[in-house]
Amino acid sequence: MSGSGLWRRSRHAPMARLVGLEGKVVGTDADDEVIALAREDARTAKLDNVEFRRADAAMCQATEEYDLVYARFLLSHLSEPERCLEAMVRACNVKGALVLEDVDFSGSFCYPTCVAYDRYIQLYEHIVNRGGGDPNIGRKLPGMLRKMGAENVLVNVVQPTHLEGEGKLMASITMQRIAGAVISERLATESEVQQIITELNDAAADSETVMSLPRVFQVWGRRA
Ligand SMILES: C[S@@+](CC[C@H](N)C(=O)[O-])C[C@H]1O[C@@H](n2cnc3c(N)ncnc32)[C@H](O)[C@@H]1O
């Protein structure tokens, strides 16, 4: 079983528990820092059946090694997601499971309408597009997976939506993460970015405001 890409709250722990002591999970990410954090989390959780490797997911040469191959929030960042999918399918055993989760930012919403939220979505989409990625890749995944030779492909959509709590801060946190790129690409001035962050925090603090994360497409199938 392999998970391509992971972050602080990655899926390796639930997967490691699912496969039990007889199974093994391999988690990969291209970023050393992410791998170090995941190893630390696994140590803390006393998970002995999970291994982490720094790797470019599209370069994976594994052939029919895993019963399940999974990628979350990875393909939307890649300029050639098909290459990564191809590597995932190759790594999967025949009749093994291929599982993808990825975003569709175009379905994000805030109610009542918040100008700063709409601007944040626009800026995020722009930054991901400029990096060669696709912030709305989710809806394309069933077709892409079929094209790569998967059968019995199914799809589900979930959209975490918040009135309060940590999830409601994701827009502001993400805006802070892309602030440097937004300013250096002259998409907005430093003061406009600061204003957007302040207004996103204000909207998050208002318990009357309903704020969503992007829609998440969950797509799965079997290697033919
Ligand atoms: C939005 S994060 C998602 C992290 C994790 N997969 C999750 O679901 O929580 C995107 C991750 O993709 C990783 N990444 C980007 N390009 C990659 C590549 N070519 N191969 C492997 N990982 C990559 C980044 O380092 C980053 O950790």
Side-chain angles (χ1 to χ4, degrees), residues 118-129:
D118 292 345
R119 180 81 172 120
Y120 145 68
I121 296 296
Q122 185 190 43
L123 290 169
Y124 182 86
E125 290 187 332
H126 198 101
I127 291 295
V128 175
N129 281 325

Side-chain angles (χ1 to χ4, degrees), residues 3-186:
S4 300
L6 39 89
W7 66 355
R8 189 80 189 164
R9 286 186 184 153
S10 70
R11 307 299 295 161
H12 65 265
M15 283 192 162
R17 289 190 187 102
L18 266 178
V19 299
L21 293 176
E22 301 291 302
K24 184 173 176 183
V25 173
V26 178
T28 66
D29 195 283
D31 186 331
D32 275 327
E33 205 177 313
V34 175
I35 290 293
L37 287 170
R39 283 198 182 118
E40 189 190 311
D41 283 354
R43 253 194 311 274
T44 307
K46 298 193 187 335
L47 296 171
D48 297 327
N49 58 348
V50 54
E51 176 194 330
F52 297 100
R53 300 177 191 158
R54 189 182 67 78
D56 181 329
M59 304 292 277
C60 174
Q61 294 302 318
T63 305
E64 297 185 13
E65 274 184 36
Y66 300 100
D67 296 323
L68 185 149
V69 184
Y70 168 66
R72 187 179 74 162
F73 307 150
L74 169 67
L75 298 174
S76 51
H77 294 284
L78 306 180
S79 54
E80 294 180 296
E82 294 84 1
R83 275 188 60 214
C84 181
L85 260 184
E86 206 176 309
M88 290 177 65
V89 173
R90 190 173 49 237
C92 189
N93 288 325
V94 173
K95 302 296 173 198
L98 294 149
V99 185
L100 307 170
E101 288 188 293
D102 225 310
V103 290
D104 177 71
F105 262 78
S106 70
S108 309
F109 67 88
C110 180
Y111 182 82
T113 303
C114 169
V115 173
Y117 183 88
D118 292 345
R119 180 81 172 120
Y120 145 68
I121 296 296
Q122 185 190 43
L123 290 169
Y124 182 86
E125 290 187 332
H126 198 101
I127 291 295
V128 175
N129 281 325
R130 283 282 276 264
D134 181 351
N136 299 313
I137 199 169
R139 65 187 85 171
K140 299 176 186 163
L141 294 177
M144 289 170 71
L145 195 55
R146 278 207 187 106
K147 222 182 205 167
M148 288 296 158
E151 58 188 17
N152 301 329
V153 173
L154 294 170
V155 63
N156 184 49
V157 175
V158 292
Q159 185 159 30
T161 301
H162 303 279
L163 275 176
E164 56 188 20
E166 257 190 359
K168 222 176 167 189
L169 293 172
M170 279 305 287
S172 157
I173 291 168
T174 308
M175 188 62 225
Q176 288 168 54
R177 285 204 181 127
I178 62 168
V182 166
I183 294 162
S184 69
E185 292 196 24
R186 298 180 190 278

